[in-house]
Amino acid sequence: MALGRCAVKYEPLNEPTNEQLMALGLAMSNRIASTTTVKAPYDLPAGFTYFGQFVDHDLSYFTDEDTPFDGPGKLTQKMRPMLDLHGLYSHVSAQPDALCNTMPGAFALQSLGVNDANITVWDMPRDAEGFALIGDARNDENFLLSQFHTLMLRLHNAVIAELIASGAERDPSVLRQQARACVEQVYRRIIVQDYLKRLLCDEVWHGYFGAPEQQWTHWSLYSDADFNRPNAFNLAAYRFGHAQVRGIYGVNAKRSITLDELFDYRGGRNYYQHHRHIPPELGVDWQLFFYDSVTDHPFVQVALPVRPTVPLKIPHIASPLNRLAVRNLLRSRDQELPCAQAIMQNETFQQVCQQLASPSGILHSDNLDNGYFSHISNGEMFNNTTPLWYFILREGEVMRGRAYRDQGILGPMGSILVAAFFKLTLQHTPGQADFDVRALPLQIETISSMSEMVRYVLQQEGK
């Protein structure tokens, strides 16, 4: 049984109503998010919130073009999920020449000089109105995501520089293809060895991605039909990041940016006072967002803990549908997503748990409620038909308890649903087989974490 559409049908009286889901979403939205300044070794570095969003855009492109603007509505998947960086390497039809650079095979970038925090500032190519000339316009929807996309463009250029220094052929098309092969391999390696290793329970990561590989069909949790439509991964499990958005970010040692500014500082909105590119003083020091240890720098930042508290609001939409928590819960219902209990009863899911010896009993009727259900009319029903997204967040919150604190930020169910989808996606993603990065002694081949990638880019740019 697959985990895309609803795996168990409920009697109408036992199914949460829209009013109950909205009440739960409002409760999740109204609770004040954590403001703790404690940085624990197991916390997720703050940069992974936007790394995860970048990856999400690589995995899915949903549209609800037939739905009224003010409602969640049905979703349609417009592409097959792959981890191939199509948003980085897609053809830009508006001005393809903007992807050229004086270095053969490189991307054009706008240099904005060095700011007062001693950060060399870069921005992506933009048109006269400030709109980004990139393969996926969604990667310019907020300031940090835009700057992360720019960082990935810089990575490509850094690889080009290393290839040339290593004696590679200087033909632009050959160099670009070779650099893309390197960047894709590093990108997928970082996803598995750094990002997912930080997210998942130890048992789940080792079962899906450790060596030797398990001899059972990890990917059977999702059918081919699920893979190409909204499912338990992209409507619930992978939306844990909505709970991790901070209210303020220190972009460098001198400047901070609020959540409102995060979504206003993007191209084409006149927020730059009619300038095309970002204000140089907001150049991002990515070593504050990706690091090896919380003691690396006094200003390193962690993402907020995973918990069922999501105060994010969507601008220009009336309440309550402007609350992201409300929209996520209603959209799961519209897409006939199974509740958490239905997944726990799924035979394949139970087999996976047994194979992994994954920790069980994390959530039960005594700790499912985070103080929300009792304030909702007939809210006790959520103990038996718990919305999957809420369950994933609550499971992550409980996982921060002492007994599990070194085992990733997601609980067992969240870990399995995320791991299974990434495993399937990696199986479906073609590699750049026409260029073997081992043919040249490249430093890029040794990179397996975001902190290493940031240092590599800065080193290549400093040469």
Side-chain angles (χ1 to χ4, degrees):
M1 183 184 296
L3 302 180
R5 305 292 175 163
C6 190
V8 175
K9 293 294 184 182
Y10 295 98
E11 296 297 327
L13 292 178
N14 294 327
E15 185 178 354
T17 64
N18 281 351
E19 289 72 21
Q20 289 173 315
L21 291 172
M22 283 194 286
L24 177 58
L26 286 171
M28 295 171 66
S29 178
N30 290 333
R31 181 168 290 186
I32 298 175
S34 170
T35 57
T36 179
T37 57
V38 176
K39 302 169 186 176
Y42 51 81
D43 281 327
L44 196 66
F48 281 110
T49 302
Y50 301 93
F51 177 91
Q53 189 178 14
F54 181 89
V55 171
D56 182 51
H57 291 172
D58 217 18
L59 292 173
S60 61
Y61 201 124
F62 294 125
T63 65
D64 51 0
E65 55 194 18
D66 298 325
T67 303
F69 176 71
D70 59 352
K74 298 288 185 181
L75 298 175
T76 302
Q77 171 72 296
K78 292 295 186 182
M79 69 180 194
R80 187 169 180 81
M82 290 186 186
L83 293 168
D84 61 355
L85 290 172
H86 61 270
L88 200 69
Y89 290 104
S90 294
H91 177 70
V92 178
S93 59
Q95 289 188 17
D97 290 343
L99 296 182
C100 298
N101 187 287
T102 54
M103 190 165 53
F107 287 110
L109 290 171
Q110 180 64 47
S111 174
L112 300 173
V114 179
N115 64 19
D116 59 354
N118 199 32
I119 302 299
T120 301
V121 186
W122 300 90
D123 195 16
M124 57 182 60
R126 299 182 181 276
D127 66 16
E129 296 181 355
F131 289 100
L133 299 174
I134 56 176
D136 190 338
R138 295 176 299 168
N139 286 345
D140 195 32
E141 72 180 29
N142 70 66
F143 174 77
L144 285 174
L145 179 58
S146 170
Q147 280 288 283
F148 184 82
H149 186 105
T150 303
L151 178 64
M152 293 300 292
L153 295 173
R154 293 165 61 189
L155 172 63
H156 172 92
N157 290 358
V159 175
I160 291 284
E162 187 181 8
L163 284 168
I164 292 174
S166 299
E169 182 180 348
R170 295 181 66 91
D171 178 85
S173 61
V174 173
L175 273 174
R176 173 170 293 222
Q177 189 71 7
Q178 292 176 341
R180 178 173 183 172
C182 292
V183 171
E184 282 193 24
Q185 290 186 35
V186 168
Y187 169 64
R188 291 192 283 267
R189 190 159 59 241
I190 288 173
I191 287 174
V192 173
Q193 298 293 334
D194 193 13
Y195 182 52
L196 292 179
K197 202 165 190 177
R198 293 174 183 270
L199 295 185
L200 309 178
C201 296
D202 291 347
E203 296 88 349
V204 176
W205 187 88
H206 285 291
Y208 276 90
F209 305 106
E213 188 171 334
Q214 299 284 348
Q215 297 301 308
W216 44 277
T217 55
H218 331 77
W219 45 90
S220 62
L221 285 174
Y222 298 97
S223 69
D224 285 341
D226 291 334
F227 191 56
N228 291 294
R229 68 184 181 188
N231 56 51
F233 169 80
N234 45 48
L235 288 181
Y238 201 58
R239 297 198 176 203
F240 69 87
H242 291 167
Q244 295 205 290
V245 178
R246 296 169 58 99
I248 188 169
Y249 291 92
V251 293
N252 55 54
K254 299 285 188 178
R255 297 290 188 276
S256 295
I257 189 170
T258 67
L259 188 57
D260 288 341
E261 291 171 328
L262 180 78
F263 288 98
D264 280 334
Y265 272 82
R266 55 179 177 169
R269 292 179 62 88
N270 289 328
Y271 200 93
Y272 302 153
Q273 298 178 342
H274 305 288
H275 294 288
R276 289 172 58 189
H277 296 281
I278 68 169
E281 63 269 19
L282 293 180
V284 177
D285 182 355
W286 286 111
Q287 294 185 100
L288 306 185
F289 290 82
F290 299 107
Y291 47 82
D292 297 316
S293 168
V294 292
T295 61
D296 282 356
H297 191 286
F299 297 126
V300 299
Q301 299 160 100
V302 299
L304 293 185
V306 173
R307 58 196 296 253
T309 301
V310 183
L312 296 178
K313 299 179 183 179
I314 302 173
H316 314 303
I317 298 178
S319 182
L321 292 176
N322 67 329
R323 309 295 183 94
L324 190 58
V326 171
R327 295 177 73 86
N328 281 349
L329 292 170
L330 291 180
R331 181 151 281 167
S332 295
R333 173 190 170 95
D334 288 345
Q335 301 299 315
E336 301 176 350
L337 197 68
C339 69
Q341 287 75 15
I343 290 182
M344 286 190 288
Q345 296 165 16
N346 181 278
E347 181 178 357
T348 304
F349 183 80
Q350 291 176 351
Q351 291 173 351
V352 170
C353 290
Q354 292 172 1
Q355 289 274 4
L356 293 173
S358 180
S360 60
I362 300 298
L363 287 187
H364 42 76
S365 58
D366 291 339
N367 66 357
L368 254 177
D369 186 4
N370 192 24
Y372 299 143
F373 300 168
S374 59
H375 299 288
I376 300 171
S377 176
N378 196 27
E380 63 273 9
M381 72 176 304
F382 286 125
N383 283 309
N384 300 313
T385 57
T386 311
L388 182 56
W389 180 57
Y390 172 91
F391 188 97
I392 299 297
L393 298 182
R394 178 60 176 154
E395 192 182 50
E397 182 176 36
V398 174
M399 278 290 289
R400 281 181 65 85
R402 189 176 302 275
Y404 309 108
R405 65 188 312 156
D406 295 325
Q407 297 190 27
I409 67 167
L410 294 178
M413 181 181 290
S415 294
I416 291 171
L417 294 179
V418 168
F421 195 84
F422 271 99
K423 185 72 175 184
L424 181 61
T425 303
L426 287 166
Q427 294 287 331
H428 283 80
T429 301
Q432 295 283 334
D434 55 341
F435 174 67
D436 185 352
V437 296
R438 293 169 297 181
L440 293 171
L442 300 177
Q443 181 185 351
I444 185 68
E445 177 61 11
T446 67
I447 293 173
S448 60
S449 72
M450 275 304 306
S451 58
E452 291 173 348
M453 192 197 97
V454 170
R455 289 194 293 268
Y456 170 81
V457 170
L458 293 175
Q459 178 186 28
Q460 292 297 322
E461 289 176 347
K463 289 183 177 179

mmCIF file of all heavy atoms in Angstrom, residues 193-207:
data_model
loop_
_atom_site.group_PDB
_atom_site.id
_atom_site.type_symbol
_atom_site.label_atom_id
_atom_site.label_comp_id
_atom_site.label_asym_id
_atom_site.label_seq_id
_atom_site.Cartn_x
_atom_site.Cartn_y
_atom_site.Cartn_z
ATOM 1 N N GLN A 193 25.184 12.976 2.820
ATOM 2 C CA GLN A 193 26.192 12.863 3.871
ATOM 3 C C GLN A 193 26.111 13.963 4.925
ATOM 4 O O GLN A 193 26.617 13.779 6.043
ATOM 5 C CB GLN A 193 27.600 12.876 3.245
ATOM 6 C CG GLN A 193 27.872 11.724 2.304
ATOM 7 C CD GLN A 193 27.931 10.384 3.018
ATOM 8 O OE1 GLN A 193 28.240 10.304 4.211
ATOM 9 N NE2 GLN A 193 27.625 9.313 2.297
ATOM 10 N N ASP A 194 25.485 15.081 4.604
ATOM 11 C CA ASP A 194 25.433 16.205 5.550
ATOM 12 C C ASP A 194 23.985 16.507 5.942
ATOM 13 O O ASP A 194 23.600 16.352 7.109
ATOM 14 C CB ASP A 194 26.091 17.430 4.920
ATOM 15 C CG ASP A 194 26.364 18.547 5.931
ATOM 16 O OD1 ASP A 194 26.272 18.287 7.145
ATOM 17 O OD2 ASP A 194 26.675 19.676 5.514
ATOM 18 N N TYR A 195 23.165 16.878 4.967
ATOM 19 C CA TYR A 195 21.792 17.316 5.234
ATOM 20 C C TYR A 195 20.949 16.199 5.841
ATOM 21 O O TYR A 195 20.424 16.329 6.954
ATOM 22 C CB TYR A 195 21.182 17.819 3.926
ATOM 23 C CG TYR A 195 19.768 18.354 4.017
ATOM 24 C CD1 TYR A 195 19.428 19.312 4.954
ATOM 25 C CD2 TYR A 195 18.786 17.919 3.133
ATOM 26 C CE1 TYR A 195 18.137 19.822 5.015
ATOM 27 C CE2 TYR A 195 17.505 18.419 3.179
ATOM 28 C CZ TYR A 195 17.179 19.368 4.123
ATOM 29 O OH TYR A 195 15.911 19.870 4.183
ATOM 30 N N LEU A 196 20.818 15.079 5.127
ATOM 31 C CA LEU A 196 19.971 13.989 5.622
ATOM 32 C C LEU A 196 20.549 13.367 6.890
ATOM 33 O O LEU A 196 19.797 12.924 7.770
ATOM 34 C CB LEU A 196 19.785 12.924 4.546
ATOM 35 C CG LEU A 196 18.958 13.360 3.331
ATOM 36 C CD1 LEU A 196 18.865 12.228 2.311
ATOM 37 C CD2 LEU A 196 17.558 13.815 3.746
ATOM 38 N N LYS A 197 21.851 13.335 7.009
ATOM 39 C CA LYS A 197 22.457 12.762 8.211
ATOM 40 C C LYS A 197 22.117 13.595 9.439
ATOM 41 O O LYS A 197 22.014 13.072 10.555
ATOM 42 C CB LYS A 197 23.970 12.661 8.035
ATOM 43 C CG LYS A 197 24.618 11.628 8.945
ATOM 44 C CD LYS A 197 26.029 11.302 8.489
ATOM 45 C CE LYS A 197 26.577 10.093 9.250
ATOM 46 N NZ LYS A 197 27.928 9.720 8.776
ATOM 47 N N ARG A 198 21.945 14.895 9.260
ATOM 48 C CA ARG A 198 21.549 15.765 10.357
ATOM 49 C C ARG A 198 20.048 15.650 10.650
ATOM 50 O O ARG A 198 19.622 15.843 11.788
ATOM 51 C CB ARG A 198 21.883 17.219 10.034
ATOM 52 C CG ARG A 198 23.369 17.541 9.954
ATOM 53 C CD ARG A 198 23.569 18.960 9.475
ATOM 54 N NE ARG A 198 24.962 19.332 9.307
ATOM 55 C CZ ARG A 198 25.734 19.869 10.248
ATOM 56 N NH1 ARG A 198 25.231 20.086 11.445
ATOM 57 N NH2 ARG A 198 26.984 20.201 9.996
ATOM 58 N N LEU A 199 19.247 15.365 9.623
ATOM 59 C CA LEU A 199 17.787 15.332 9.780
ATOM 60 C C LEU A 199 17.280 14.047 10.407
ATOM 61 O O LEU A 199 16.373 14.066 11.252
ATOM 62 C CB LEU A 199 17.102 15.487 8.416
ATOM 63 C CG LEU A 199 17.238 16.776 7.637
ATOM 64 C CD1 LEU A 199 16.364 16.712 6.390
ATOM 65 C CD2 LEU A 199 16.856 17.974 8.492
ATOM 66 N N LEU A 200 17.810 12.912 9.986
ATOM 67 C CA LEU A 200 17.175 11.622 10.222
ATOM 68 C C LEU A 200 17.669 10.945 11.494
ATOM 69 O O LEU A 200 18.809 11.141 11.921
ATOM 70 C CB LEU A 200 17.447 10.688 9.037
ATOM 71 C CG LEU A 200 17.134 11.233 7.640
ATOM 72 C CD1 LEU A 200 17.512 10.203 6.584
ATOM 73 C CD2 LEU A 200 15.675 11.638 7.521
ATOM 74 N N CYS A 201 16.796 10.125 12.074
ATOM 75 C CA CYS A 201 17.231 9.231 13.142
ATOM 76 C C CYS A 201 18.416 8.402 12.639
ATOM 77 O O CYS A 201 18.463 8.022 11.464
ATOM 78 C CB CYS A 201 16.114 8.271 13.537
ATOM 79 S SG CYS A 201 14.653 9.041 14.244
ATOM 80 N N ASP A 202 19.342 8.099 13.528
ATOM 81 C CA ASP A 202 20.531 7.337 13.133
ATOM 82 C C ASP A 202 20.174 6.039 12.430
ATOM 83 O O ASP A 202 20.754 5.694 11.387
ATOM 84 C CB ASP A 202 21.386 7.026 14.362
ATOM 85 C CG ASP A 202 22.048 8.256 14.942
ATOM 86 O OD1 ASP A 202 22.046 9.299 14.257
ATOM 87 O OD2 ASP A 202 22.555 8.188 16.073
ATOM 88 N N GLU A 203 19.216 5.282 12.998
ATOM 89 C CA GLU A 203 18.863 3.987 12.422
ATOM 90 C C GLU A 203 18.311 4.132 11.016
ATOM 91 O O GLU A 203 18.574 3.305 10.137
ATOM 92 C CB GLU A 203 17.824 3.276 13.308
ATOM 93 C CG GLU A 203 18.317 2.910 14.691
ATOM 94 C CD GLU A 203 18.114 4.030 15.689
ATOM 95 O OE1 GLU A 203 17.786 5.161 15.275
ATOM 96 O OE2 GLU A 203 18.295 3.783 16.880
ATOM 97 N N VAL A 204 17.539 5.189 10.801
ATOM 98 C CA VAL A 204 16.924 5.394 9.490
ATOM 99 C C VAL A 204 17.989 5.791 8.473
ATOM 100 O O VAL A 204 18.026 5.262 7.348
ATOM 101 C CB VAL A 204 15.815 6.456 9.575
ATOM 102 C CG1 VAL A 204 15.245 6.750 8.192
ATOM 103 C CG2 VAL A 204 14.703 5.988 10.522
ATOM 104 N N TRP A 205 18.877 6.710 8.839
ATOM 105 C CA TRP A 205 19.920 7.120 7.880
ATOM 106 C C TRP A 205 20.795 5.928 7.504
ATOM 107 O O TRP A 205 21.076 5.699 6.322
ATOM 108 C CB TRP A 205 20.786 8.238 8.454
ATOM 109 C CG TRP A 205 21.751 8.777 7.421
ATOM 110 C CD1 TRP A 205 21.524 9.775 6.525
ATOM 111 C CD2 TRP A 205 23.073 8.284 7.150
ATOM 112 N NE1 TRP A 205 22.622 9.955 5.715
ATOM 113 C CE2 TRP A 205 23.579 9.048 6.072
ATOM 114 C CE3 TRP A 205 23.857 7.285 7.705
ATOM 115 C CZ2 TRP A 205 24.852 8.844 5.557
ATOM 116 C CZ3 TRP A 205 25.126 7.067 7.186
ATOM 117 C CH2 TRP A 205 25.616 7.849 6.134
ATOM 118 N N HIS A 206 21.232 5.170 8.480
ATOM 119 C CA HIS A 206 22.110 4.034 8.185
ATOM 120 C C HIS A 206 21.378 2.967 7.386
ATOM 121 O O HIS A 206 21.965 2.321 6.502
ATOM 122 C CB HIS A 206 22.671 3.445 9.481
ATOM 123 C CG HIS A 206 23.750 4.273 10.099
ATOM 124 N ND1 HIS A 206 24.992 4.415 9.535
ATOM 125 C CD2 HIS A 206 23.756 5.037 11.220
ATOM 126 C CE1 HIS A 206 25.740 5.217 10.278
ATOM 127 N NE2 HIS A 206 25.012 5.601 11.311
ATOM 128 N N GLY A 207 20.084 2.779 7.639
ATOM 129 C CA GLY A 207 19.331 1.787 6.894
ATOM 130 C C GLY A 207 19.153 2.146 5.432
ATOM 131 O O GLY A 207 19.218 1.281 4.554
#
